[in-house]
Amino acid sequence: MMLVTLVATPTNPLLVTPTGVAIALLFAASIIGVLGWMLHLPPETELSRTASRAVRSLNKMTRILVPLLHCSEESDRALALALQMARHRNGSVWALAVIEVPFMLPLDATLGTEEERVQALVERARSVARQMPSALTVRVLKARQAGSAIVYEATQIAADLIIVANCPVRVRGSLQQIDPAVEYVLKHAPCEVLVLSGARFLPHREQEPTQFSPHPTTEEGTDRSSFAPETFQELSGSSR
């Protein structure tokens, strides 16, 4: 018979060092801190939920349509805003120019002056787009009315947002503050509409600074109390 002798060899005891203890305590403290933060999150209120929904809905606006109605700075800013929004959301921008054809003419009729105007709108839009690193698709449609063409195009491309610039127009000799095309879009658009309107400056003689007195004079028949200083109260701008 062969006898096997087992010899027990002593193992090294657990070595505890100050550095190891410090690392273990730091790790345990970080775990406890994270768990405490997760368990003590502030309760979500209706106001915070409303704000979150607003931000999420805005971030979903990635397909933007910009109607080109007039050669104006408002139209340029509307297109620049759309391109900037699309760039931050990896979205797409469509610029639409509409050739309005009178009802007494067929839709395929040639309209020299109107087509030249639309071509100028397209070139101006492309010039704005070259200033920003965003893709732009330009479309030109012939239609009886610009408003209906804008709504049709927004439906075709499944637009999430329409950004349109409003410019006052002359209608039968009178100045109409809301462009008929913009008004139509506001009533029939299949998506949200953002209207940009430029500042309306007063005539030059009315821009001069007015000297106010403690007791302003008013014309006969005017309610003097409406101009009294105590009728105004500053609600913002103060800080402590």
Side-chain angles (χ1 to χ4, degrees):
M1 286 181 69
M2 181 181 294
L3 297 178
V4 179
T5 303
L6 298 179
V7 180
T9 58
T11 58
N12 293 331
L14 180 63
L15 183 61
V16 179
T17 63
T19 303
V21 172
I23 293 175
L25 291 176
L26 182 61
F27 180 76
S30 63
I31 295 297
I32 294 173
V34 172
L35 292 176
W37 174 79
M38 294 177 62
L39 294 176
H40 293 84
L41 287 175
E44 187 178 17
T45 62
E46 181 62 28
L47 183 60
S48 63
R49 286 193 294 268
T50 301
S52 298
R53 286 196 299 269
V55 173
R56 288 194 300 268
S57 63
L58 183 62
N59 290 332
K60 293 179 181 178
M61 294 180 180
T62 58
R63 303 173 68 84
I64 306 174
L65 175 64
V66 181
L68 306 176
L69 298 178
H70 307 281
C71 284
S72 63
E73 293 184 4
E74 288 84 2
S75 297
D76 296 342
R77 287 197 295 268
L79 182 58
L81 175 61
L83 292 170
Q84 189 176 49
M85 291 178 62
R87 181 181 62 182
H88 291 292
R89 293 170 175 80
N90 294 324
S92 305
V93 178
W94 283 262
L96 175 66
V98 181
I99 300 175
E100 291 187 306
V101 182
F103 286 95
M104 69 282 299
L105 297 176
L107 278 177
D108 57 353
T110 301
L111 303 173
T113 304
E114 181 67 9
E115 292 181 3
E116 291 177 1
R117 183 188 72 87
V118 168
Q119 185 61 32
L121 290 174
V122 171
E123 292 299 326
R124 186 160 178 161
R126 288 174 176 165
S127 177
V128 173
R130 283 194 290 267
Q131 305 298 321
M132 310 185 70
S134 299
L136 175 66
T137 301
V138 180
R139 292 260 295 160
V140 178
L141 294 180
K142 282 188 174 182
R144 300 300 182 184
Q145 294 180 339
S148 58
I150 296 170
V151 172
Y152 169 81
E153 185 69 10
T155 304
Q156 290 297 111
I157 68 173
D160 302 313
L161 176 66
I162 298 175
I163 302 180
V164 59
N166 176 63
C167 296
V169 295
R170 293 281 180 181
V171 179
R172 296 181 181 179
S174 61
L175 185 64
Q176 183 169 336
Q177 294 299 328
I178 300 180
D179 191 311
V182 176
E183 185 176 7
Y184 184 94
V185 171
L186 287 172
K187 292 180 179 179
H188 301 92
C191 59
E192 294 190 56
V193 181
L194 176 62
V195 180
L196 296 185
S197 182
R200 298 289 170 259
F201 296 100
L202 298 175
H204 179 70
R205 63 183 181 87
E206 298 182 3
Q207 293 183 12
E208 298 178 358
T210 304
Q211 298 295 332
F212 292 97
S213 61
H215 303 286
T217 59
T218 57
E219 296 180 0
E220 183 179 356
T222 304
D223 185 7
R224 185 184 299 269
S225 62
S226 62
F227 296 92
E230 59 268 16
T231 60
F232 299 92
Q233 180 181 6
E234 185 178 355
L235 299 180
S236 61
S238 60
S239 61
R240 292 183 180 179

